[in-house]
Amino acid sequence: MATERKALFLFFGGTGDLAYRKLYPSLFNLYKKGNLRSHFAVIGTSRQAMDDDKFREAVRKSLADSGNRADSKEAMDFSSHFYYQAHDVTNTAHYSVLKEAADKLDKKYKLEGNRIFYLSMAPQFFGTIAQDLKSQGLMSTNKDAFNRLVIEKPFGRDYDSAKQLNDALSKSFEEEQIFRIDHYLGKEMIQNIEALRFGNTLVESLWNNRYIDNIQVTLSEKLGVEERASYYDNSGALRDMVQNHIMQIVSLLAMEQPVAFTDTDIRAEKVKALRSLRVYNVADAATNFVRGQYGSINDQPDYRHEDNVPEDSTTETFVAGKLLFDNYRWSGTPFYVRTGKMLADKFTRVDVVFKRPLVDIFAFPQSQNTPLAANVLTIFVEPHAGFSLQLNAKTNDAGFSTEPIKLDYLVDAEKSKETPEPYERLLHDVLKGDGTNFSSWPEVSYAWKFVDQIRRVWDLQEPQFPNYTPHSMGPAAAEELIQRDHREWIYRLNK
Ligand SMILES: NC(=O)C1=CN([C@@H]2O[C@H](COP(=O)(O)OP(=O)(O)OC[C@H]3O[C@@H](n4cnc5c(N)ncnc54)[C@H](OP(=O)(O)O)[C@@H]3O)[C@@H](O)[C@H]2O)C=CC1
Ligand SMILES: O=C1O[C@H](COP(=O)(O)O)[C@@H](O)[C@H](O)[C@H]1O
């Protein structure tokens, strides 16, 4: 039986794309499961004028768009908890009107003062909103109640701006009240990394530089920038995907075992791992990171001819890089990462490549045997969830030769339908006050310091763009990056 959580949600940017496409359907799932029942209310805000009925209709449409029946009793009941308040976040006077509405709903639904402020709008407003929430008395003063602030990405565009933002938020909210969303941390198989590592002696005992040759993280996207070009062109793949999602995945792969499975202990280990990540000097940044921008194919425009992209844009739509940890566990074992738009396919995977046996006894002089393949443990994150372990085995015949075979575990299609969407999980965690799957400030700051060095070097040089063909796996430089170390990407096209 699900535990009911009581709270008032205030969505800033409550009529935006993210709210309608992800946030309201996720809340509805929590409602259907009983995590939200009668003691919750939602205030959606934005500048436009709208009454509650119109807002509720839009909310029901968003449920329908995500596969629900908009006219079901459940959808009607759920949407009756939604209220709309026109509100300009830059107008301090508007906050007192919002406070009145919040206090009224608090009484009506017996919410015990619990408040979740969800900032789902352009980041330049985050600081102002947090400040006015406090100064205008929106935060509950009930000592047993919680006030939680949920922040969407991007959290800054470099270390300095992120710090500035964090300082602004910290004037109103304590670190444990701030939930910085990284939706990759809400994905089933990303959360499974901890189970795989710390639940299996077989895995964790080999999880180090003595046995692992390298680890590869690939976040590949098939689509281009679509309708988000004006945001994306100011960001690029390094800021959009590496600073947050990839750094979070890498820290889960690299961290030591936490003392206990709590948010404080897990975050402490992730931070320790990120502290030992080598921040590159100029020369190493230039060698260890490569970038790309997609060209055109058939009648499909290149990146520079997408809507809202300047014709001389030097924004990268692809990144590949090598990360090195200077610590006892990982010294000498590189982590290769890559991500990009308009690549061969949409998928996310982690390939853990083990060292080959020190002696290949099957490779005696007269043997026809091909050299032993490396053992590879693959974590399939999306679109299919599962693991695969590549081992060497004897071929099933009268002779004696070896071949690589795979032990596969794939979550079946029926079961994966039950997997909660990342936003549903993360909203549930916010309701519970569990910060495990959110980025803490120290994690964000170490990630920015690392990424800033790459950016600094790239900003000094004019790139030769476009440099990769759509539906490939990125520019030749990404192959050269890994081949230089006498290695290759485990996921390759046509394999
Ligand atoms: N959409 C997505 O898929 C993703 C979005 N994000 C992040 O989520 C956040 C929201 O994105 P998204 O929903 O796409 O953005 P939208 O542009 O779709 O929505 C922005 C919202 O903010 C409101 N708004 C803008 N200015 C003001 C103002 N001065 N006062 C009050 N409300 C205002 C808008 O309404 P109005 O103009 O009527 O005031 C609208 O409701 C961003 O931080 C984005 O980076 C992160 C990952 C994915
Ligand atoms: O945060 C972002 O992630 C999406 C990719 O997310 P996924 O869950 O579909 O893998 C990316 O398209 C977007 O540019 C970025 O802002």
Side-chain angles (χ1 to χ4, degrees), residues 18 22-23 29 63 98 117 141 149 154 168 182 197 321 325 328 347 349 357 364 375 413 451:
L18 186 72
K22 298 280 182 191
L23 305 180
N29 287 343
L63 305 186
L98 197 55
F117 306 99
T141 50
L149 182 73
D182 185 315
R197 287 192 54 193
F325 288 92
Y328 190 74
F347 65 88
R349 62 189 269 166
F364 50 90
N375 298 143
V451 157

Side-chain angles (χ1 to χ4, degrees), residues 360-395:
D360 182 351
I361 62 163
F362 307 112
F364 50 90
Q366 302 81 10
S367 135
Q368 300 291 309
N369 207 26
T370 47
L372 291 170
N375 298 143
V376 180
L377 172 64
T378 301
I379 304 170
F380 296 107
V381 178
E382 277 173 345
H384 306 294
F387 303 110
S388 169
L389 178 60
Q390 177 176 281
L391 300 172
N392 292 302
K394 182 184 168 306
T395 47

Side-chain angles (χ1 to χ4, degrees), residues 202-243:
L202 181 77
V203 175
E204 191 54 16
S205 58
L206 304 178
W207 204 260
N208 56 54
N209 50 9
R210 266 162 292 151
Y211 302 104
I212 294 181
D213 179 75
N214 72 93
I215 295 185
Q216 304 178 10
V217 178
T218 306
L219 275 55
S220 165
E221 295 196 75
K222 197 170 183 172
L223 296 177
V225 281
E226 305 292 291
E227 68 290 341
R228 290 178 72 226
S230 26
Y231 150 76
Y232 192 86
D233 197 63
N234 271 310
S235 169
L238 185 67
R239 290 190 176 103
D240 187 47
M241 298 292 279
V242 178
Q243 187 277 336

Side-chain angles (χ1 to χ4, degrees), residues 12-22 45-49 84 87-91 118-123 125-126 129 151-154 181 183 227-228 231 245 423:
F12 296 88
T15 59
D17 173 68
L18 186 72
Y20 285 137
R21 219 161 36 80
K22 298 280 182 191
T45 77
S46 77
R47 288 167 302 182
Q48 62 178 285
Y84 182 78
H87 174 94
D88 184 339
V89 295
T90 61
N91 187 334
Y118 199 120
L119 311 193
S120 176
M121 51 188 302
F125 298 118
F126 293 169
I129 303 173
I151 300 281
E152 265 302 331
K153 65 172 288 201
I181 294 267
H183 77 281
E227 68 290 341
R228 290 178 72 226
Y231 150 76
H245 310 317
Y423 273 100

Side-chain angles (χ1 to χ4, degrees), residues 74-95:
E74 235 176 359
M76 296 303 281
D77 289 349
F78 171 74
S79 62
S80 73
H81 290 249
F82 280 65
Y83 296 82
Y84 182 78
Q85 182 66 54
H87 174 94
D88 184 339
V89 295
T90 61
N91 187 334
T92 302
H94 286 186
Y95 288 81

